[in-house]
């Protein structure tokens, strides 16, 4: 799995104050322990993305070499994974993405990442991102 330089523009959703409209509710068809709602909208389908935070920066292979990042964002509908460039927010639009080739591949990747992820935010990163 090699992440490519992003071609997307990432936007943060407007706060919903406890209510998430059905048309942007994320698609997530399997159980995970360490993924939760992010405030980012998937640039492909418009659904809310899920995310996890890593206790220590986690390495991903990109077309620019290995990049270690504090968090990853995913879309269960589009089967994509999105990481910010190290030291940046996802909304800086200079990160990387990977599109899984199948539902099975996506689930396998997510379950592996879930084992390394956490629900606890990291205060020691440049950005404590939503």
């Amino acid at each position: 799995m090699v992440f490519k330089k992003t071609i997307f523009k990432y936007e943060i959703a407007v706060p919903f104050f406890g209510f998430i409209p059905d048309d942007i509710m994320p698609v997530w068809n399997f159980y995970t322990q360490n993924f939760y709602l992010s405030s980012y909208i998937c640039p492909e389908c418009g659904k809310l993305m899920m995310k996890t935070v890593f206790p220590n920066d986690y390495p991903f292979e990109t077309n620019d070499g290995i990049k270690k990042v504090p968090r990853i964002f995913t879309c269960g509908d589009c089967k994509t994974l999105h990481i910010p460039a190290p030291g940046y927010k996802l909304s800086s639009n200079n990160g990387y993405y990977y599109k899984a080739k199948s539902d099975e591949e996506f689930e396998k990747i997510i379950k592996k990442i879930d084992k390394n992820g956490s629900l606890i935010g990291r205060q020691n990163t440049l950005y404590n991102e939503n």
Side-chain angles (χ1 to χ4, degrees), residues 96-113:
Y96 301 87
Y97 78 100
Y98 178 78
K99 186 166 190 86
K101 294 164 186 57
S102 67
D103 291 349
E104 294 78 19
E105 181 193 23
F106 180 75
E107 185 173 344
K108 182 178 175 183
I109 292 168
I110 293 300
K111 287 184 175 184
K112 179 183 177 188
I113 291 171

Side-chain angles (χ1 to χ4, degrees), residues 108-122:
K108 182 178 175 183
I109 292 168
I110 293 300
K111 287 184 175 184
K112 179 183 177 188
I113 291 171
D114 188 54
K115 290 179 184 175
N116 294 285
S118 172
L119 299 175
I120 301 169
R122 288 188 45 196

Side-chain angles (χ1 to χ4, degrees), residues 11-123:
E11 296 181 25
I12 295 176
V14 177
F16 298 109
F17 304 108
F19 174 76
I20 300 173
D22 287 341
D23 62 330
I24 68 164
M25 193 62 139
V27 175
W28 206 252
N29 298 323
F30 48 88
Y31 178 75
T32 58
Q33 291 182 318
N34 293 307
F35 277 89
Y36 55 100
L37 282 177
S38 82
S39 60
Y40 278 101
I41 298 289
C42 174
E44 287 189 79
C45 69
K47 304 253 186 225
L48 278 173
M49 290 197 286
M50 303 288 282
K51 79 169 188 176
T52 192
V53 178
F54 302 109
N56 298 301
D57 287 357
Y58 192 82
F60 289 97
E61 186 176 345
T62 74
N63 54 4
D64 293 329
I66 300 293
K67 302 293 179 184
K68 293 182 177 182
V69 297
R71 58 192 52 83
I72 188 168
F73 300 84
T74 66
C75 177
D77 190 45
C78 296
K79 309 298 183 252
T80 53
L81 298 95
H82 307 263
I83 57 173
Y88 290 90
K89 286 185 166 193
L90 191 63
S91 60
S92 296
N93 299 311
N94 63 352
Y96 301 87
Y97 78 100
Y98 178 78
K99 186 166 190 86
K101 294 164 186 57
S102 67
D103 291 349
E104 294 78 19
E105 181 193 23
F106 180 75
E107 185 173 344
K108 182 178 175 183
I109 292 168
I110 293 300
K111 287 184 175 184
K112 179 183 177 188
I113 291 171
D114 188 54
K115 290 179 184 175
N116 294 285
S118 172
L119 299 175
I120 301 169
R122 288 188 45 196
Q123 302 300 317

